[in-house]
Amino acid sequence: AYMQEVEGFANGTLDYTQLKGDTGPLVYPAGFVYIFLSLYYATSRGADVRLAQYLFAGLYLLNLLLVFRIYCRTNKVPPYVFFFMCCASYRIHSIFVLRLFNDPVAMAILFLAINLFLDERWSWGCFFFSLAVSVKMNILLFAPGLFFLLLQQFGLLGSIPKLGICALLQVVLGLPFLLVNPVGYLTRSFDLGRQFQFKWTVNWRFLPEEVFQSRAFHSVLLLAHLVGLGLFALHRWHRSKESILTLLKDPAHRKPPSPPLTIVFVLFSSNFLGVCCSRSLHYQFYVWYFHTLPYLLWCTPTAKIAHMPKVLLLGVIELCWNTYPSTVCSSLSLHLCHGLVLLQLWYGTGLPPAPHTPLPGKKPLTKKVQ
């Protein structure tokens, strides 16, 4: 289907509304077209599927390398958990090497951007973040966290050039299509109101189909997403005692946050909130957050006895994504697991209580030794 969608562009079609395949119209931004057009030519116009699988196997290994580098920088996750990330997910291997979806391409570029953010190369990080968005829009789930980090690092005025990089790249990539049919390109590639088919949903199978398709239901999910982002921004990402509005100031005029949270926490939790409130999760969407789950589960202080429930939680989530077709039980179980992760993120990352300081002239109370 991807090869059919980019074939029209290869033949000179620049009207985005005319690019389509057997599964429907092209609904991804322009970066997708260029990347899969390269695969189109590399695989003899899509005929050499085996070569495409080898290329995606290489992408899978590169993705793991980028993810491992992020985890090495955070030093939060016990080593044995990486076995589950590499070897225990049939669904992830299928998404990468069997199905050849564009989701892994977007996520690999996203993890490259996060590595650049960790290296404090913010301009290049924004460039690759925007490139990832141009492959698939799900990367925008990380955008609220990135915007918060940019404000934290540079303030409002300092963030404008970084945001400009993101916007300019989208314009440059989409320019051939924007010049021919700008409305058609924007409505097709950034269609936020697109309807999903109930038969493919992994997370809302327990709902009646009419509720699943309801605009009111979609509005409730959007509201829940915005409220969740607001709460995390105010009480978990923002670690300073000053008002969150101080992020708009130049960093040199602010008090340092105490204690700081990592770039990874802000970005991964931003994405996870979006996944939890998604209107529908299809099977290939598992890659949107699979490689972030170990960090989300182990980023909070963990007693040794609490490791096994976290491993069990990973296993249940994997089982839910491997249940085809999804069932009422599998979708409810997935929401329960997501809820448990959210609760841990909320209660495990709060500011520690301030130490009690005795009033001047009063001796601290001590127990008498019998």
Side-chain angles (χ1 to χ4, degrees), residues 84-239:
F84 298 97
M85 185 186 293
C86 297
C87 306
S89 179
Y90 162 81
R91 180 63 65 189
I92 292 298
H93 294 162
S94 172
I95 292 169
F96 268 90
V97 184
L98 182 61
R99 309 295 178 181
L100 312 181
F101 284 113
N102 62 331
D103 304 74
V105 179
M107 290 305 299
I109 299 172
L110 181 277
F111 287 129
L112 173 58
I114 294 177
N115 274 278
L116 290 167
F117 294 145
L118 290 172
D119 292 338
E120 297 187 359
R121 300 174 70 178
W122 290 92
S123 295
W124 279 110
C126 288
F127 175 88
F128 282 102
F129 180 87
S130 185
L131 182 61
V133 172
S134 77
V135 178
K136 192 157 188 179
M137 272 203 310
N138 71 284
I139 304 300
L140 289 175
L141 296 179
F142 292 88
L146 176 59
F147 182 58
F148 178 91
L149 290 170
L150 289 174
L151 290 177
Q152 187 180 64
Q153 292 289 326
F154 305 104
L156 181 60
L157 292 178
S159 298
I160 292 175
K162 314 301 179 187
L163 296 174
I165 293 172
C166 296
L168 181 61
L169 182 62
Q170 294 301 318
V171 173
V172 171
L173 292 174
L175 191 59
F177 309 105
L178 289 168
L179 292 174
V180 173
N181 185 353
V183 175
Y185 174 72
L186 294 173
T187 54
R188 279 289 175 83
S189 58
F190 295 99
D191 183 7
L192 298 174
R194 185 160 55 100
Q195 290 282 5
F196 293 101
Q197 295 183 17
F198 184 65
K199 67 178 181 179
W200 295 117
T201 188
V202 176
N203 57 332
W204 296 115
R205 179 65 62 182
F206 60 90
L207 293 177
E209 185 170 359
E210 56 271 19
V211 174
F212 173 79
Q213 298 288 1
S214 167
R215 292 290 183 184
F217 175 61
H218 299 165
S219 299
V220 169
L221 289 176
L222 177 60
L223 179 62
H225 186 196
L226 294 175
V227 169
L229 287 171
L231 289 173
F232 265 76
L234 288 169
H235 301 291
R236 292 300 177 266
W237 300 347
H238 186 59
R239 310 295 284 182

Side-chain angles (χ1 to χ4, degrees), residues 31-343:
F32 162 85
V33 176
Y34 302 128
I35 290 174
F36 276 82
L37 184 67
S38 301
L39 289 170
Y40 175 79
Y41 286 120
T43 59
S44 303
R45 299 178 183 271
D48 193 347
V49 179
R50 179 63 61 87
L51 175 58
Q53 289 182 297
Y54 287 149
L55 292 173
F56 269 78
L59 177 68
Y60 174 69
L61 295 176
L62 175 62
N63 186 79
L64 282 179
L65 179 64
L66 293 168
V67 171
F68 285 173
R69 188 173 185 271
I70 293 170
Y71 277 91
C72 285
R73 297 289 295 272
T74 60
N75 197 28
K76 294 281 187 181
V77 180
Y80 69 85
V81 177
F82 294 110
F83 167 80
F84 298 97
M85 185 186 293
C86 297
C87 306
S89 179
Y90 162 81
R91 180 63 65 189
I92 292 298
H93 294 162
S94 172
I95 292 169
F96 268 90
V97 184
L98 182 61
R99 309 295 178 181
L100 312 181
F101 284 113
N102 62 331
D103 304 74
V105 179
M107 290 305 299
I109 299 172
L110 181 277
F111 287 129
L112 173 58
I114 294 177
N115 274 278
L116 290 167
F117 294 145
L118 290 172
D119 292 338
E120 297 187 359
R121 300 174 70 178
W122 290 92
S123 295
W124 279 110
C126 288
F127 175 88
F128 282 102
F129 180 87
S130 185
L131 182 61
V133 172
S134 77
V135 178
K136 192 157 188 179
M137 272 203 310
N138 71 284
I139 304 300
L140 289 175
L141 296 179
F142 292 88
L146 176 59
F147 182 58
F148 178 91
L149 290 170
L150 289 174
L151 290 177
Q152 187 180 64
Q153 292 289 326
F154 305 104
L156 181 60
L157 292 178
S159 298
I160 292 175
K162 314 301 179 187
L163 296 174
I165 293 172
C166 296
L168 181 61
L169 182 62
Q170 294 301 318
V171 173
V172 171
L173 292 174
L175 191 59
F177 309 105
L178 289 168
L179 292 174
V180 173
N181 185 353
V183 175
Y185 174 72
L186 294 173
T187 54
R188 279 289 175 83
S189 58
F190 295 99
D191 183 7
L192 298 174
R194 185 160 55 100
Q195 290 282 5
F196 293 101
Q197 295 183 17
F198 184 65
K199 67 178 181 179
W200 295 117
T201 188
V202 176
N203 57 332
W204 296 115
R205 179 65 62 182
F206 60 90
L207 293 177
E209 185 170 359
E210 56 271 19
V211 174
F212 173 79
Q213 298 288 1
S214 167
R215 292 290 183 184
F217 175 61
H218 299 165
S219 299
V220 169
L221 289 176
L222 177 60
L223 179 62
H225 186 196
L226 294 175
V227 169
L229 287 171
L231 289 173
F232 265 76
L234 288 169
H235 301 291
R236 292 300 177 266
W237 300 347
H238 186 59
R239 310 295 284 182
S240 173
K241 293 180 181 179
E242 295 181 295
S243 166
I244 195 170
L245 295 177
T246 58
L247 291 175
L248 303 177
K249 298 179 181 179
D250 188 292
H253 301 149
R254 300 190 218 128
K255 295 178 182 178
S258 176
L261 281 174
T262 67
I263 292 170
V264 178
F265 175 81
V266 174
L267 291 173
F268 282 10
S269 58
S270 173
N271 178 64
F272 186 69
L273 286 165
V275 169
C276 291
C277 299
S278 177
R279 287 188 290 127
S280 184
L281 294 175
H282 295 177
Y283 285 95
Q284 67 268 31
F285 298 176
Y286 190 21
V287 78
W288 292 5
Y289 74 125
F290 170 79
H291 294 99
T292 73
L293 283 172
Y295 178 85
L296 294 173
L297 285 168
W298 271 273
C299 68
T300 56
T302 304
K304 289 185 178 180
I305 197 171
H307 283 256
M308 284 310 297
K310 295 186 178 185
V311 173
L312 178 63
L313 205 57
L314 283 177
V316 174
I317 292 174
E318 177 71 22
L319 181 62
C320 294
W321 282 96
N322 280 291
T323 302
Y324 177 80
S326 61
T327 64
V328 170
C329 181
S330 69
S331 59
L332 281 172
S333 299
L334 185 62
H335 280 289
L336 176 61
C337 292
H338 287 173
L340 291 173
V341 176
L342 277 177
L343 286 174

Side-chain angles (χ1 to χ4, degrees), residues 4-21 25-28 30 33-34 174-189:
Q4 292 171 342
E5 289 169 355
V6 301
E7 187 174 26
F9 178 62
N11 294 330
T13 302
L14 295 178
D15 185 344
Y16 227 67
T17 62
Q18 301 304 311
L19 300 177
K20 60 188 67 176
L26 174 59
V27 292
Y28 307 120
V33 176
Y34 302 128
L175 191 59
F177 309 105
L178 289 168
L179 292 174
V180 173
N181 185 353
V183 175
Y185 174 72
L186 294 173
T187 54
R188 279 289 175 83
S189 58

